[in-house]
């Protein structure tokens, strides 16, 4: 169940990043933060603002938003349009002439990422898989998934 849920979530994030990168490659003026917000469907802080965005729609179709099919990203999640949203970290480097969508999303087996999360902290859940008194519980750690898609830009854009 753990692997299946993780694989399913990774596939959704990968598809959203790929389709978002295709849209971003054809979108002029990505240096404007409001244009990038429109492409990703969320503000830089994760507030949902454009339900017509392919990224927003994909995450919503998989019930990965605060209200299921609509709403905001959970605490700790982000959608970046690189190189414009990069903060200098190694994962933000992209080849010249390309645009990248990077999606970070908190994964948890049993806990809803929206329920009581204030800091986006990653935790661990232990589950007993045996009825034996001496059996040790198996740990199912939460972690932050990252999916990234890079495509060549189809519209010339100057990167600052």
């Amino acid at each position: 169940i753990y692997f299946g849920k993780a694989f399913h979530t990774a596939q959704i994030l990968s598809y959203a990043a790929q389709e978002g990168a295709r849209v971003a490659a054809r979108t002029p003026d990505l240096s404007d933060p409001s244009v990038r917000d429109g492409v990703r469907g969320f503000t830089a802080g994760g507030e949902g603002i454009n339900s017509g965005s392919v990224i927003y729609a994909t995450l919503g179709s998989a019930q990965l938003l605060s209200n299921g099919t609509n709403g905001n990203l959970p605490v700790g999640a982000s959608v970046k349009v690189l190189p414009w949203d990069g903060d200098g970290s190694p994962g933000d480097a992209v080849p010249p002439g390309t645009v990248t969508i990077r999606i970070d999303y908190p994964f948890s087996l049993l806990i809803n990422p929206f329920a009581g999360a204030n800091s986006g902290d990653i935790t661990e859940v232990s589950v007993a898989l045996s009825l034996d008194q001496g059996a040790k519980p198996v740990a199912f750690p939460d972690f932050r998934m990252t999916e990234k898609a890079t495509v060549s830009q189809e519209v010339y854009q100057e990167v600052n």
Side-chain angles (χ1 to χ4, degrees):
I1 293 172
Y2 181 76
F3 174 77
K5 183 177 178 187
F7 184 76
H8 177 260
T9 303
Q11 288 299 104
I12 296 297
L13 298 177
S14 178
Y15 178 77
Q18 290 169 6
E19 293 303 312
R22 287 188 186 113
V23 169
R26 297 179 182 106
T27 303
D29 301 323
L30 285 173
S31 58
D32 181 348
S34 65
V35 172
R36 292 194 307 274
D37 287 351
V39 167
R40 68 180 150 238
F42 304 94
T43 64
E47 180 183 344
I49 59 168
N50 178 12
S51 61
S53 158
V54 67
I55 297 169
Y56 183 104
T58 301
L59 297 179
S61 69
Q63 304 276 324
L64 295 178
L65 300 177
S66 59
N67 297 320
T69 58
N70 58 44
N72 303 325
L73 292 172
V75 172
S78 67
V79 178
K80 291 186 176 184
V81 181
L82 302 172
W84 295 275
D85 293 334
D87 58 11
S89 63
D92 288 349
V94 298
T98 64
V99 63
T100 297
I101 298 292
R102 189 179 89 197
I103 302 174
D104 296 314
Y105 196 89
F107 175 79
S108 177
L109 175 63
L110 301 174
I111 299 169
N112 179 340
F114 299 99
N118 294 329
S119 63
D121 289 339
I122 301 300
T123 60
E124 185 173 282
V125 174
S126 294
V127 178
L129 298 179
S130 173
L131 296 177
D132 288 343
Q133 292 293 333
K136 296 196 183 248
V138 176
F140 292 96
D142 295 348
F143 59 94
R144 198 167 323 285
M145 292 185 153
T146 298
E147 291 294 332
K148 188 165 136 177
T150 302
V151 296
S152 295
Q153 289 180 286
E154 296 181 26
V155 175
Y156 174 76
Q157 301 178 67
E158 194 170 321
V159 177
N160 297 335

